[in-house]
Every structure is written in C-alpha cells, then in structure tokens.
Amino acid sequence: MKDKLYRTFVDATRNVFNLMLNISDISDHPAENLKCDDGIDIAVGIVGDLQGEVVYRFPVSTSLNMVNIMSGMQFEEVDAFVTSAISEIANIISGNVLTALSDNNMKCDILPPVQGNPDDNKEYEMKTSCCLSTSIGEIGLEIRLNLVS
Amino acid sequence: MLWKDNYKLGVPLIDAQHQELFRRVQSFLQVLRSKDSWDEKIPMINETLEFMKRYVVEHFQAEEDYQRSINYPGYEAHKQIHDDMVNYVQEVSKKYEQSQNDEQLMQQFGGRLLAWLINHVCAEDQRIADYAKEKGMSGNEG
C-alpha cells in the first residue's frame, strides 16, 4: 500500500510537470527525509479513507523556475505570488492523486494547501519521502497517512 | 508570453478563446508585477481586474455554450469547475475591496490564477477537445 501510494504521488507530479511545464525528464528516488534549507513547504491535508497529509518541498530555485516557465516573466524572489502559484500546483497534484485513488475505490478529499510543514510527531502507518529530480531542480515529497478502516 | 503554442487543443474555436483569455490575464499580471509602487499601480490594477473578471465569466459562458452544442458528456462537471473559479474570483474581489486594496491578497490571487488557468486548459479543456475530435466536431474536418 505504501509503495502504491508513493508511486501514485510520483506519477501525479510527473504528469502535472509534463502538462503544465512541458517537462518530461523526471527521475525519483526515495529520500529519508526532506533536506533543503531554503525550500518552500506546502502541506496538503487529506481526509476520508486516508487521513494525514502530504508535504511538498519546493526549493527556491525550483519554485522560481516553475513560475518563470508558467508566466513567461522573470521572478527573482519568492513572494506571495510565487508561493500561491506553487501552492496551487501542490493542490493540483494532490487532486490528481485523489482521482487515481478513487479509481481504486478509495474515497478521499483534500484540504486547501497551507504553507509550512506541520510535523506533529504523530505516528503514521504509511510514511515515506522521496526526491524528484527535474531539469529545473528538485522537488521533495513527504507522505504521512493513516488508513481509516 | 503567457500563451504558449503547446496549449493549443486543436479545436480552432476553443484555441481562439483561450488565446484571448490568456491575453487578458497577461495584461493583468503585467500590471500586477510591474516595478511601480503599489499605490501607483492600484488604479490600473483595479481597472484590469474588473476587465479580466468580466472576461473570465464571458469566456466560461462561451466555452459552456460550445460544450452544449457538441453534447459534451462532461458538461455538468466542467461547469462546476467554472462556477467554483468564478466564486473564488468574486470572493477575492470582495475581500480586496474590503481590505482597501491589499497588495498581498492580489499577489496571491495572481499566482493562483496563473497556475489554475494553465492546468485548466491543459488538463480539463483537453478533454473537451478530445471529445470534439473523436466526434468529428472540432472544426478541423473541413
């Protein structure tokens, strides 16, 4: 189950990057935890058959590259505009994951994205992290979910 | 340029509407991100925001008319996505007015609108185009 979730999140991220940013060359590898000092963390809560959250970590350079591609403009620092655009992308990826899960009869919903990493030291049945490498930088994903019976 | 040719869906009517919508949003973003002070930008922001808000609604209606004309089976779900976005735009607009032109609020709106719009065109609208092409109703058949 954990591996399947991991793959679903990675595939959704890959699809969204391909569609929205025209970036197709993406590789992934498991990471023990998200390591990046200057990243923007966006947490998306999940409720329903699965309960918990996924945290997306976008390093500053990756974030700026993403917004530069989308807007065709030059952004040089992370501000409210960039954070909001990145949050929406986290929201879109999570929405795509839910669609994939619902195809497997898992009913979940997502909460609006919030900036930050609410690490509350809770125990999770499924906890996994990975790092995705793309031509515009890396992205970290931390999945922390419990299966609600 | 906000518009990119890879956003084309292959249905001339929808592609023309999208290019116009992207032009309106780009005008708004250019004002929003210009180097002038916020106070200097406010009149232009308010003007382009109003203009863009009206156009978003007009565009959604035109797209929905097209979906009905080809009996698109995903019409109701797609309309719901449009309605949710229109509600969000109205809600932000109201908050912006109440806050007396808060810059952070408008920057947040701009960022979300940008990402939402690109995903909507590339993912949701692609389904309409795929259906139209499958049914031979894309306008490319002649």
Side-chain angles (χ1 to χ4, degrees), chain A residues 63-132:
Chain A
S63 306
L64 295 174
N65 285 334
M66 288 164 71
V67 177
N68 288 345
I69 291 172
M70 285 193 292
S71 66
M73 297 161 87
Q74 200 59 36
F75 285 75
E76 275 156 19
E77 59 178 11
V78 172
D79 60 10
F81 186 105
V82 173
T83 307
S84 178
I86 298 301
S87 299
E88 181 62 18
I89 288 182
N91 193 41
I92 291 163
I93 295 169
S94 305
N96 287 2
V97 168
L98 293 202
T99 304
L101 290 176
S102 72
D103 291 343
N104 290 303
N105 292 322
M106 292 207 79
K107 302 288 172 227
C108 301
D109 216 338
I110 48 173
L111 303 176
V114 289
Q115 196 180 347
N117 185 347
D119 195 353
D120 48 14
N121 292 320
K122 271 191 205 162
E123 289 292 319
Y124 291 95
E125 291 166 48
M126 291 167 284
K127 191 168 176 173
T128 182
S129 302
C130 68
C131 180
L132 291 102

Side-chain angles (χ1 to χ4, degrees), chain A residues 16 18-22 67-77 79-82 84-86 88-89 91-92 96, chain B residues 1-2 4 6-7 26 29-30 32-35 88 104 106-116 118-119 122-123:
Chain A
V16 168
N18 194 4
L19 266 182
M20 294 182 66
L21 305 169
N22 207 18
V67 177
N68 288 345
I69 291 172
M70 285 193 292
S71 66
M73 297 161 87
Q74 200 59 36
F75 285 75
E76 275 156 19
E77 59 178 11
D79 60 10
F81 186 105
V82 173
S84 178
I86 298 301
E88 181 62 18
I89 288 182
N91 193 41
I92 291 163
N96 287 2
Chain B
M1 279 286 284
L2 192 57
K4 295 174 185 68
N6 60 308
Y7 298 157
Q26 180 170 309
L29 296 186
Q30 278 170 341
L32 184 68
R33 302 302 300 181
S34 75
K35 300 282 182 198
Y88 168 68
Q104 292 299 302
M106 211 31 57
Q107 296 291 350
Q108 284 168 3
F109 171 67
R112 184 172 172 192
L113 177 69
L114 171 70
W116 184 92
I118 292 171
N119 178 62
C122 294

Side-chain angles (χ1 to χ4, degrees), chain A residues 29-37 40-42 54-58 116-117 128-132 139-144:
Chain A
H29 57 88
E32 226 166 75
N33 47 43
L34 303 181
K35 288 192 184 102
C36 176
D37 291 336
I40 310 166
D41 286 342
I42 305 294
V54 58
V55 178
Y56 299 81
R57 176 163 290 182
F58 298 98
N117 185 347
T128 182
S129 302
C130 68
C131 180
L132 291 102
I139 308 136
L141 277 183
E142 191 167 315
I143 301 159
R144 306 193 284 241

Side-chain angles (χ1 to χ4, degrees), chain A residues 6 9 14 85 98 144:
Chain A
Y6 173 99
F9 273 97
R14 185 174 276 133
L98 293 202
R144 306 193 284 241

Side-chain angles (χ1 to χ4, degrees), chain B residues 76-90:
Chain B
E76 290 296 338
H78 200 104
K79 186 177 185 316
Q80 186 60 54
I81 295 171
H82 283 171
D83 289 349
D84 289 346
M85 189 56 182
V86 169
N87 289 340
Y88 168 68
V89 172
Q90 284 168 349

Side-chain angles (χ1 to χ4, degrees), chain B residues 4-99:
Chain B
K4 295 174 185 68
D5 278 344
N6 60 308
Y7 298 157
K8 274 189 184 168
L9 304 180
V11 179
L13 183 69
I14 299 182
D15 286 335
Q17 287 176 1
H18 282 162
Q19 286 184 52
E20 181 59 22
L21 176 61
F22 273 66
R23 265 196 293 275
R24 308 282 175 135
V25 173
Q26 180 170 309
S27 302
F28 172 67
L29 296 186
Q30 278 170 341
V31 177
L32 184 68
R33 302 302 300 181
S34 75
K35 300 282 182 198
D36 297 335
S37 75
W38 184 247
D39 283 344
E40 283 174 304
K41 285 193 276 190
I42 285 174
M44 197 68 174
I45 285 284
N46 294 354
E47 195 182 310
T48 52
L49 178 65
E50 284 307 313
F51 195 57
M52 191 202 62
K53 270 165 51 187
R54 280 200 303 276
Y55 190 77
V56 165
V57 172
E58 278 173 32
H59 166 71
F60 285 172
Q61 280 170 352
E63 205 180 83
E64 287 161 17
D65 288 345
Y66 175 72
Q67 289 174 45
R68 278 196 299 267
S69 77
I70 62 168
N71 293 317
Y72 177 57
Y75 167 78
E76 290 296 338
H78 200 104
K79 186 177 185 316
Q80 186 60 54
I81 295 171
H82 283 171
D83 289 349
D84 289 346
M85 189 56 182
V86 169
N87 289 340
Y88 168 68
V89 172
Q90 284 168 349
E91 189 187 315
V92 170
S93 190
K94 195 174 164 189
K95 279 188 191 164
Y96 176 67
E97 213 172 289
Q98 285 167 349
S99 71

